[in-house]
Every structure is written in C-alpha cells, then in structure tokens.
Amino acid sequence: MADPITDRANDLASGVADAGRSAASSARNAGDKVASGVESASEKGASAIRRGGRSGSAAYDDAAADLDGRVSSIEDTIRQNPLAAAGAALVVGIFLGRFVL
C-alpha cells in the first residue's frame, strides 16, 4: 500500500517540474522574440547610418566643389583688379587692427 503523503509529494513534484518546463519554454520564446527585435533594430540602424554616410559624403563633395569654384572666382577677380584687391586688403587689415585686435 502506497503512502498518501509520498503520493501527494510525488504529485506536487511532478506539478512543479511541469510548471518549470512551461516557464522555461515561455522564457525561450520571449528571448527569441527579443533577439529578433534587437536584430531587426540593429539592421535598421546600420542601414540608416549607411544612408547618412552616403548623403554626408555627397554634401561634402558638393560643398568642396562650390568652395573651389568660389576660390577660383576670387582669384580671377584679384588677377583682373590687383589694385582694388590690395586696397580691399588694406581696409580689412586696418579694420582688424583697429577694432578686433
């Protein structure tokens, strides 16, 4: 004849083991969902960084080309009007010496 307390303890242990397996399964599923979400967010972030890098590079190239054009234009103007350029440089120098420095 089986002891009722032992039977009850075995039933309780079996129930706890089943609950543990269920909790472990739920935790694995939740972990998989979190990992999938993190992976997706990381892919989106990397894609956004690549797009930003490309657009930043294009903006830099455009700005550099614009600056080169302006410098060239200023050089041409100075070559065409050297006295006016010297006078402008003198005025800027006096202004900086008088009011800034």
Side-chain angles (χ1 to χ4, degrees), residues 32-84:
D32 291 344
K33 287 180 183 178
V34 168
S36 176
V38 168
E39 184 178 346
S40 175
S42 119
E43 289 171 1
K44 287 178 183 176
S47 176
I49 289 171
R50 282 191 295 273
R51 279 193 313 273
R54 283 191 296 270
S55 65
S57 177
Y60 174 81
D61 291 342
D62 291 345
D66 184 50
L67 181 64
D68 288 343
R70 289 177 189 242
V71 168
S72 178
S73 173
I74 291 171
E75 288 174 350
D76 290 343
T77 302
I78 291 171
R79 284 192 184 105
Q80 291 172 0
N81 304 307
L83 289 178

